[in-house]
Amino acid sequence: MSRSDEVSFLTLTEAGRRIQGGSLTPTEYVETLIDRIRRLDPMLRCVITAAGEAALAAARDAESEISRGDWRGPLHGIPIGVKDCIATAGLRTTANSRVFGDWVPEEDAPSVAAMRQAGAIVLAKLNLNEFAWSIPGEDDLYAPPRNPWSPGHYAMGSSSGSAVAVASGLCPAALGSDAGGSVRQPAANCGVVGLKPTHGLVSSWGASGPPTICEVGPIARSVDDAALMLGELTGGRESYFESLDQSPGHVRIGVPRRHIDLAQCDPQISAAFADALHVLRQLGFEVVEVEIEGLADAAAADFVVLNTEAFAAHEVTLRTKKNEYGQSARLYHLQGAFLSAADYIVALRVGDAVRDRVNEALSAVDVLASPVVPVLTAEAARAAKAQPHTGGGAVFTAPFNLTGHPALALPCGMSAEGIPIGLQLVGRARGEVDLLRLAHAYEQATPWHAMHPSLDVAARLSVER
Amino acid sequence: MKLLSKARLREMATARELDVDEGDLTRLLPMVRDLLEVARRLRTTLRERPATQPE
């Protein structure tokens, strides 16, 4: 492996150690990744705006600070990506829409500000479904990212660019946003870790998402890295990363079997999930089945809330900038206009009821486990959305947006076609420490997180076509 | 529940002062039908509220 490839696939934690120790400089790191973006992104299509000179200037500043002894912590001098619906001061934020095509925010979203405060460098703004709520297509302002494991498929969304960039070694970690599974699904589909924090733990202001259900969360190559980012996103109030040194202890894992069976998962996903449960049992954890009524209803209700809040946020621009929306995004954002206030309130009450039931289940078990998505590819997920408001591909993820519980996706297998498969773990509200510890234990016992796609071959084939 | 017709959808769009043409209405119709059916089903769900019991 070349020095460039080795640097490109460093975990954030290891890169931080090297920068602190002086064997890697922020400038070399940023230059390496800019070169990689230049070589691979024409095939991957995950970068909307590369920060280029600004990132290099920030890297030089970080280098000066560190050489003066002003090391801020493990994220100092680390380049990260940011989903392009999350505001970045001085850097174009398009949400992949012509409506926002030239918008340069004056302020960072709090999540971005927290990353910069920790010393991280914004390297690139990353592709997404338009406004994170549309069916992506080739006519979008920026065409959809390809799955680096299988470039003939799109990557699942909506934080598709964030997951593709991290999986492909274009940045060690990225911020995504998740209102129905948009961090966890692309993470699972690209073989990386994605965390949707407890509702309200991380500010989602400035992320263009429906505020009742949308969370900003990290996408990274390991549970360690996700924990490190979460610590900074929450202002360092909790030592998520440091807590991983401790054993998770005796953990009781609940499997909502009936809900999973009703989703009729792809057989390869069912097999990978069964294998994951086997590994968890071998690690000494107890796995039991639980019955939680209403999870599918919560998924559907999440989309009622999403549609209502999406229309409310876009009502004015849907009139004033109608033709600047892509067709899918415009219709997706219009449909909430036909729901009533009572529909919205009922959906929230369904969330309250299911939250109570999930809390009750989580008093008997410590964590819930399920697949992340019932299908293998973005195209199959789209077909599952033939009725787009009933959960479809989001049947396992969306319930926990509405209930607000933290949920994490991590790789647990690979399909015969070579597409990653993910495991979802759901914890108690504000129970991220326990959730991350269990995920870390699983990750340490399995090989999936250490695998990377063979991108140079894929890029060459793409060019040769 | 009566199935939403395109004419009724057009009326609703007009009442909400939405700028939609016939093509939009055709594409929106199945989406809105589904959404309203989900909303109706959720009302029933909320009335039932079955309990949760870990096995």
Side-chain angles (χ1 to χ4, degrees), chain A residues 232-313:
Chain A
E232 298 300 345
L233 286 167
T234 54
R237 290 191 298 275
E238 183 90 50
S239 301
Y240 299 103
F241 175 70
E242 290 77 4
S243 73
L244 298 182
D245 287 341
Q246 295 167 39
S247 156
H250 177 77
V251 177
R252 209 159 181 240
I253 300 164
V255 176
R257 175 58 64 192
R258 196 169 61 88
H259 178 61
I260 294 169
D261 288 348
L262 284 171
Q264 298 183 316
C265 292
D266 181 288
Q268 295 190 73
I269 290 172
S270 297
F273 180 61
D275 288 347
L277 295 181
H278 180 66
V279 170
L280 289 164
R281 282 192 195 94
Q282 282 185 320
L283 287 168
F285 304 123
E286 189 181 355
V287 178
V288 297
E289 294 193 0
V290 293
E291 175 67 28
I292 305 174
E293 288 293 335
L295 287 175
D297 290 325
D302 185 67
F303 285 93
V304 169
V305 173
L306 195 165
N307 279 304
T308 308
E309 296 192 5
F311 174 69

